[in-house]
Amino acid sequence: MPTQDRSAAISLDEARHRAGLSAFPEAVRAARLGGVGLEPEFFPIIRGAEGSPRGRLLLTQPNGGGVLEVVDELAASDDRIGPRSSMSPGPVEYPVEGGGRLTFEPGAQVEHSTAVFESVAAVCSDVRSVLGKLRFAFERHDVALAAIGIDVWNDVETVPQQLRAGRYTAQAAYYRQRGHWGAVMMRHTASLQINLDLGPEGVWQERWLVANLVSPLMTATFASSPGLGAVCSRARAWQELDPTRSGFPRLLVAGSGDDPRAEWGQAALEADVMIYRVGGDHFEPGCPGCSFKKWILNGHPRWGWPTMDDLEYHLTTLFFEVRPRGFLELRAGEALPDRWRVVPVALTAALLYDDGARTAALDLLLDRRSELPEIWKRAALDGVRDPELKDLACKLWEIGLDGARALPSGYIETDEISAVEAYLEHYTVRGRMPSDEVIELLAEDPALALEWASS
């Protein structure tokens, strides 16, 4: 909570230091290979006759049978899914045996946050296991769980904001001040977030840099959200909804130093305050142009000055393409169908965890550091249709594929390596993306696009 006592407020130097240290703690995992966590999201799409899409299933339906009721049924019959821990409209979650949880986004997207596993193979196996249970439960109600970057079957205005308590209401109100892109992101997109370890001193700095450098090429390669004038409309939403808290830290792009803590600390100060947490469950939206730095310097006419707790909360509202939280949260991934989900996971893990691949990726991309924002925009608009981005992506993912093959046996299974090879051959080397396939299927029959995304 903010304080009315300015002497008790956090200073600029304290905020910058604390933000950097919170993102990159002193004690980091020293193993050469690291863990992997995933956060795949899915749209619950109602199926009509002959599998045709008939709208989005909401968290709760007037006559029952909403998303929460479906998961409640699963939790009652399957020991691996625990009972829900809170009631709608507030945050709702279901624990998953062995670690992880099921949560929901403001448009009723179902999210599975896994535990941290010791290999790509193990985490992908866990996702398949939990998703199989979810799919079975929803199919009994004629609902498909679609893994795709944007809901191509429904307009965003037909899906109301379904998480309305506290933070979510304030977040939506803040975004409305900046336009319609916040609603698109919150209610109409789905991602595949990849969480990787930092590593030991001298390695985590490289992993942070490589993760940022490859992020636009992830957008270009795995685009699965066509529409709104882009092959990756999900990335377009992030580019437009609030540039102060998305994209890439200014100091990282400038390359003026090699201190990730300073880069992140400055980014935190320059980001606008999205939400003021002013007491208990009371949240108020911030306003564009009111950065955390300005809050420290000038205070707020109603809420006073920020404390260390306010800074820690502010850090949870930053959504840069790579978010350091004691590990690296890679946010560029699009939701992908089951057969392709392992591909970005295997490639990014190999690029960060294999020493040779990481060095080769730096050699390929470091000179493009100052171009990151511009490349990201091109990636969202045209993906690998852009000849230069296609060339870079082919070179980068070949490095990643070599790195994946070099990792210890079992870290990435042989059939998963084959899936990476098949994906790159099917899409990237041909200058295509999943978005192209979705567009073609939609033109033929929307039911075919739904089958593609839910199998």
Side-chain angles (χ1 to χ4, degrees), residues 292-303:
F292 200 87
K293 178 179 179 179
K294 289 182 179 178
W295 191 14
I296 291 174
L297 294 176
N298 304 322
H300 187 282
R302 294 178 65 189
W303 316 126

Side-chain angles (χ1 to χ4, degrees), residues 173-184:
Y174 171 82
Y175 282 142
R176 278 196 299 271
Q177 299 173 72
R178 289 182 170 272
H180 73 286
W181 289 101
V184 172

Side-chain angles (χ1 to χ4, degrees), residues 21-199:
L21 199 58
S22 175
F24 303 100
E26 295 284 3
V28 294
R29 186 181 179 127
R32 174 180 174 272
L33 284 184
V36 188
L38 298 180
E39 297 179 31
E41 297 173 349
F42 309 89
F43 293 109
I45 304 297
I46 302 170
R47 276 195 174 116
E50 299 180 354
S52 58
R54 288 289 183 268
R56 180 100 59 86
L57 188 68
L58 304 183
L59 278 182
T60 57
Q61 299 280 118
N63 57 349
V67 169
L68 296 184
E69 286 77 18
V70 174
V71 182
D72 283 342
E73 290 177 8
L74 175 62
S77 62
D78 193 304
D79 291 341
R80 194 156 182 216
I81 310 298
R84 72 164 98 159
S85 61
S86 62
M87 299 295 291
S88 181
V92 178
E93 84 174 46
Y94 297 78
V96 176
E97 184 185 38
R101 59 195 177 125
L102 301 177
T103 56
F104 308 90
E105 292 297 305
Q109 302 96 316
V110 179
E111 179 176 355
H112 172 207
S113 300
T114 75
V116 178
F117 287 84
E118 292 303 310
S119 69
V120 168
V123 74
C124 288
S125 175
D126 183 68
V127 170
R128 287 193 299 271
S129 172
V130 173
L131 179 56
K133 298 174 184 297
L134 288 169
R135 283 237 164 93
F136 179 77
F138 278 92
E139 284 169 0
R140 293 176 59 193
H141 295 265
D142 296 319
V143 175
L145 289 182
I148 187 171
I150 195 166
D151 183 348
V152 294
W153 305 279
N154 301 288
D155 186 87
V156 65
E157 298 306 324
T158 67
V159 181
Q161 173 93 6
Q162 290 163 76
L163 298 179
R164 299 181 296 276
R167 172 185 174 119
Y168 295 99
T169 300
Q171 182 178 5
Y174 171 82
Y175 282 142
R176 278 196 299 271
Q177 299 173 72
R178 289 182 170 272
H180 73 286
W181 289 101
V184 172
M185 181 278 293
M186 293 177 74
R187 308 202 305 260
H188 222 52
T189 64
S191 67
L192 172 61
Q193 188 170 290
I194 304 169
N195 301 323
L196 301 173
D197 281 339
L198 284 169

Side-chain angles (χ1 to χ4, degrees), residues 222-254:
F222 301 108
S224 68
S225 53
L228 305 177
V231 299
C232 188
S233 55
R234 178 180 161 274
R236 285 286 297 127
W238 281 112
Q239 289 164 5
E240 298 295 336
L241 60 85
D242 182 1
T244 75
R245 65 186 355 93
S246 62
F248 307 91
R250 179 177 59 82
L251 294 184
L252 180 142
V253 173

